[in-house]
């Protein structure tokens, strides 16, 4: 497995694969890898001749400095995991390699996809996500790029980026992976103590209660309000949103939108750790 710290060394490898007409898969990550990341990497290995994973904690997508400062970094373990899975190359750039001296990113407006929910609460978040993924797709030049449905809104934003600016690259969404207790795997979970890890399980229960309810319209609104109020009574829990949206547009869903893919989405701070989760509405 090649470990590239700069774009120039990655470009050499990439040119070689190009000459060999290899299909290249790419999985961008921020490291602190877990089985959710591994599922993306394994899918890429199944579908491509060569696989590149990037590890880069992108400063421009953090709206809170404290969250950036506390983001877990486990590079040695990550490289070991990727070596064991058997990928071809890891791209581990530093901030200067990606941004030079100027971390300014331009603002992105994809309508409600970038303005609602995560876009509304984490100001500038998607500007940073789009900026870094644009740079990484340019540097890696893959045929396919794999992203998790765990970050459902981000997936919608990146599908739009792909369609607009990288039409030759397939942007592929992969299923959300949970641990045995049902908690959505996240690099941030290591910051949950046992008590809050238990409390975090209520997020999964809540989205499935909404998703399986079969309700629409006003009945759905009152069910959501009731669940949200109950969750907020739990000490250390602060629900930012719980709603049903169309996954393609991130507009609120209450009944039929043509071609809609209704998903229940939730974001909450649990013991000071911000978690997100989602599930498909199965009884629509
Ligand atoms: P991150 O390192 O958090 O930026 O995530 C890198 C990629 O892994 C993103 O496409 C995420 O959506 C995906 N990912 C993170 N957690 C999970 C999970 N539990 N299941 C599936 N994909 C995930």
């Amino acid at each position: 497995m090649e470990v590239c710290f700069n774009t120039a060394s990655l470009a050499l490898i990439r040119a070689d694969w190009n000459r060999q007409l290899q299909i290249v898969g790419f999985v961008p990550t921020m490291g602190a890898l877990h089985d959710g990341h591994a599922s993306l990497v394994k899918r890429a290995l199944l579908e491509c001749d060569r696989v590149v994973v990037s590890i880069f904690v992108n400063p421009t997508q953090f709206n809170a400095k404290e969250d950036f400062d506390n983001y877990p970094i486990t590079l040695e373990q990550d490289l070991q995991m990727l070596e064991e899975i058997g990928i071809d190359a890891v791209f581990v750039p530093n901030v200067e390699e990606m941004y030079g001296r100027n971390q300014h990113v331009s603002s992105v407006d994809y309508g409600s996809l970038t303005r609602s929910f995560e876009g509304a609460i984490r100001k500038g978040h998607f500007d940073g996500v789009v900026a870094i993924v644009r740079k990484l797709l340019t540097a890696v030049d893959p045929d396919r790029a794999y992203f998790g449905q765990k970050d459902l809104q981000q997936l919608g934003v990146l599908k739009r980026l792909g369609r607009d600016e990288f039409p030759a690259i397939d942007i592929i969404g992969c299923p959300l992976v949970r641990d045995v207790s049902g908690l959505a795997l996240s690099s941030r979970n290591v910051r949950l103590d046992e008590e809050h890890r238990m409390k975090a399980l209520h997020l999964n229960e809540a989205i499935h209660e909404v998703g399986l309810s079969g309700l629409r319209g006003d009945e759905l609104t009152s069910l959501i309000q009731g669940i949200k109020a109950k969750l907020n009574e739990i000490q250390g829990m602060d629900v930012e949103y719980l709603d049903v949206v169309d996954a393609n547009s991130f507009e609120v869903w209450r009944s039929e939108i043509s071609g809609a893919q209704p998903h229940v989405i939730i974001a909450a701070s649990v013991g000071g750790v911000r978690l997100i989760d989602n599930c498909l509405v199965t009884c629509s």
Side-chain angles (χ1 to χ4, degrees):
M1 182 176 81
E2 303 275 354
V3 182
C4 305
F5 294 99
N6 55 53
T7 335
S9 57
L10 179 68
L12 287 177
I13 297 173
R14 189 63 194 84
D16 225 25
W17 293 345
N18 227 2
R19 278 191 289 275
Q20 298 166 21
L21 302 176
Q22 303 283 279
I23 300 289
V24 177
F26 176 44
V27 182
T29 80
M30 297 207 296
L33 301 182
H34 49 64
D35 286 350
H37 297 111
S39 71
L40 270 55
V41 176
K42 287 176 185 168
R43 164 112 180 243
L45 272 172
L46 279 179
E47 297 179 355
C48 307
D49 302 316
R50 303 284 183 174
V51 173
V52 182
V53 172
S54 64
I55 298 177
F56 179 67
V57 184
N58 176 33
T60 65
Q61 73 185 69
F62 286 82
N63 55 316
K65 187 179 176 305
E66 192 194 305
D67 191 23
F68 176 64
D69 290 343
N70 289 328
Y71 202 82
I73 293 177
T74 57
L75 185 58
E76 218 170 293
Q77 283 157 251
D78 293 350
L79 294 179
Q80 198 181 330
M81 183 201 237
L82 294 171
E83 178 98 63
E84 279 164 20
I85 296 178
I87 64 156
D88 299 277
V90 192
F91 182 40
V92 195
N94 63 21
V95 174
E96 190 159 349
E97 181 69 20
M98 285 289 93
Y99 286 100
R101 296 231 173 94
N102 181 1
Q103 286 181 32
H104 171 77
V105 294
S106 41
S107 82
V108 180
D109 186 357
Y110 295 158
S112 54
L113 256 183
T114 45
R115 287 186 202 177
S116 63
F117 299 99
E118 293 295 298
I121 290 168
R122 304 182 68 189
K123 292 279 178 222
H125 170 65
F126 287 128
D127 300 342
V129 169
V130 166
I132 193 59
V133 174
R134 184 186 283 129
K135 286 175 192 289
L136 290 170
L137 291 179
T138 304
V140 178
D141 188 23
D143 298 285
R144 298 178 186 146
Y146 296 81
F147 299 91
Q149 286 162 0
K150 156 79 171 28
D151 298 278
L152 193 67
Q153 191 169 0
Q154 169 178 279
L155 176 62
V157 168
L158 296 177
K159 279 187 174 163
R160 171 72 190 269
L161 172 72
R163 211 178 65 212
D164 286 2
E165 299 180 33
F166 299 91
I169 302 176
D170 268 348
I171 304 291
I172 298 168
C174 304
L176 188 159
V177 178
R178 302 178 181 281
D179 71 11
V180 283
S181 65
L183 182 65
L185 293 181
S186 161
S187 302
R188 290 185 173 87
N189 289 355
V190 295
R191 289 167 46 204
L192 290 169
D193 59 24
E194 201 41 42
E195 180 196 343
H196 290 100
R197 181 175 279 267
M198 297 305 289
K199 288 181 176 173
L201 297 180
H202 292 297
L203 304 191
N204 179 21
E205 287 164 15
I207 54 173
H208 283 94
E209 187 176 344
V210 176
L212 292 168
S213 72
L215 297 176
R216 295 176 184 205
D218 291 345
E219 283 179 327
L220 180 60
T221 303
S222 36
L223 175 73
I224 288 171
Q225 278 169 354
I227 294 176
K228 213 169 146 181
K230 260 202 237 155
L231 287 175
N232 279 329
E233 278 168 18
I234 300 171
Q235 211 181 10
M237 174 90 72
D238 181 16
V239 179
E240 290 177 4
Y241 58 74
L242 169 63
D243 220 321
V244 182
V245 297
D246 164 33
N248 297 313
S249 64
F250 264 72
E251 281 167 17
V252 171
W253 181 91
R254 284 290 176 270
S255 57
E256 223 57 68
I257 312 177
S258 68
Q261 273 195 309
H263 277 72
V264 191
I265 56 168
I266 192 165
S269 163
V270 185
V273 181
R274 187 172 191 275
L275 302 175
I276 59 173
D277 199 349
N278 71 83
C279 71
L280 186 68
V281 172
T282 44
C283 300
S284 61

